[in-house]
Amino acid sequence: MTQESFDFPVWQSIGDAISGLQVETETVIVKRADIRSFVAHAIAHDRVELVFQPISAAQHGRPVCFYEGLMRIRGADGALISPGLYLPEVEGTELAAALDVAALRQALFALRQNPWLRLSVNIAPQTMGHPDWLETLRRAADQAPDIAYRLIVEITESASLLDLSCARSFFATLRDLGCSVALDDFGAGTTSFRYFREYRFDIVKIDGHFCAGLATNADSRVLVKSLVDIAQHFEMLIVAEFIETEADAAAATALGVDCLQGYLIGRPDKALFDPWALRDTA
Ligand code: G
Ligand code: MN
């Protein structure tokens, strides 16, 4: 692996979209610059999409509380490509912000189409306060203020949150518009408890790596319990990520988690299901 290029398994969608690839038997060597032009092409041609994963209440029959919109790029062969494959190559560049704007547009569209929907979107820390991102949200909120009320903005812990004036004014703008703010992947990053006192997030999502296998891992239970205690003190709604089994769901619920997300509750999907409509027909 060099600075210039890296290897990954043959991947038709990118292979189709980018010309000049060196194809070996099982590996495509793609230059960073090629990935960047692939992403730029996807943005320019409306190929940034969302899939939706439900987050349910931990108790009382586990009704869906909201959905998370997860970014994908529609490849030339129609396959949906996960951000893990291209996000690291655009991190910190204008392209990352442009991807966040494209994902936000999709989220706003889904909120307009589905008046019952509450939806979260992810934003890279460096996109906080980006004029295009804020302008996109403001325009939608001007036309239909309820859309902003139904939007949750997820942000991961990172050094950017330590830029107090930038983060403070960004969160204040979001709150003025009526959006909720979630701290994503809590416990995984550069956790600073200072964030809690400073920002008073509405929701905190406990990193999936602490929650997967919770039922059988006493160490994880101690860590999740302490994260839950902190979040409860600050009156934040607590979501456990990566819940894949009934045993882990029960363990998370017993520790005081409010909501569950993971393959047990539902996999990310193009389709959205109105939980209220389901209830009416039940
Ligand atoms: O960082 P963030 O929480 O936004 O990441 C969500 C990612 O986690 C998505 O890409 C999604 O596909 C993945 N994911 C969601 N639920 C599960 C799960 O139960 N197990 C695992 N291993 N991954 C999950
Ligand atoms: Mn997230």
Side-chain angles (χ1 to χ4, degrees):
M1 190 142 135
T2 67
Q3 277 293 97
E4 265 296 282
S5 64
F6 64 96
D7 301 352
F8 56 84
V10 168
W11 179 24
Q12 205 52 45
S13 320
I14 262 213
D16 285 345
I18 304 170
S19 57
L21 296 180
Q22 275 178 268
V23 180
E24 297 177 355
T25 40
E26 288 215 304
T27 307
V28 180
I29 302 184
V30 182
K31 289 192 173 137
R32 285 172 196 279
D34 289 336
I35 298 236
R36 289 188 184 146
S37 54
F38 169 75
V39 169
H41 182 274
I43 293 167
H45 293 84
D46 277 336
R47 287 179 167 272
V48 179
E49 299 188 16
L50 293 181
V51 288
F52 304 98
Q53 186 175 33
I55 289 96
S56 78
Q59 305 203 51
H60 310 301
R62 297 193 191 142
V64 172
C65 300
F66 66 97
Y67 282 84
E68 177 173 2
L70 295 159
M71 183 202 291
R72 301 286 185 268
I73 286 182
R74 178 78 63 181
D77 65 354
L80 288 172
I81 304 162
S82 291
L85 293 166
Y86 47 83
L87 223 44
E89 301 313 310
V90 300
E91 223 169 76
T93 71
E94 270 298 303
L95 271 180
L99 270 177
D100 283 343
V101 171
L104 175 64
R105 283 212 180 95
Q106 295 297 315
L108 296 169
F109 178 76
L111 286 165
R112 265 194 298 271
Q113 296 288 102
N114 301 281
W116 54 268
L117 179 64
R118 296 204 69 193
L119 181 64
S120 70
V121 280
N122 296 280
I123 174 173
Q126 297 92 336
T127 309
M128 276 196 311
H130 194 285
D132 293 351
W133 194 95
L134 275 176
E135 190 47 38
T136 303
L137 176 60
R138 268 212 190 92
R139 260 203 314 267
D142 281 349
Q143 281 169 14
D146 75 290
I147 285 180
Y149 280 89
R150 294 185 285 117
L151 180 72
I152 300 157
V153 180
E154 296 195 14
I155 184 138
T156 49
E157 296 173 295
S158 83
S160 304
L161 286 183
L162 287 174
D163 183 346
L164 292 185
S165 62
C166 170
R168 258 197 216 122
S169 81
F170 178 64
F171 293 144
T173 306
L174 290 180
R175 293 229 162 82
D176 283 349
L177 291 170
C179 302
S180 305
V181 181
L183 180 65
D184 203 2
D185 302 332
F186 178 42
T190 49
T191 299
S192 164
F193 296 121
R194 186 171 174 188
Y195 300 146
F196 278 86
R197 263 200 342 229
E198 291 292 340
Y199 304 130
R200 306 270 163 174
F201 301 100
D202 304 288
I203 300 171
V204 53
K205 300 181 78 177
I206 298 178
D207 188 64
H209 298 101
F210 294 108
C211 306
L214 201 57
T216 53
N217 189 325
D219 294 342
S220 293
R221 284 199 298 278
V222 168
L223 292 169
V224 169
K225 180 69 192 140
S226 65
L227 298 177
V228 165
D229 282 345
I230 295 164
Q232 278 178 342
H233 172 82
F234 290 98
E235 300 182 336
M236 297 165 187
L237 189 83
I238 306 159
V239 179
E241 300 178 322
F242 286 21
I243 297 296
E244 297 184 6
T245 65
E246 277 296 342
D248 288 349
T253 308
L255 290 175
V257 161
D258 301 300
C259 294
L260 307 174
Q261 179 174 11
Y263 297 160
L264 177 72
I265 308 302
R267 288 182 175 261
D269 197 293
K270 278 307 291 179
L272 278 164
F273 298 99
D274 177 352
W276 308 108
L278 281 179
R279 210 169 277 178
D280 287 347
T281 55

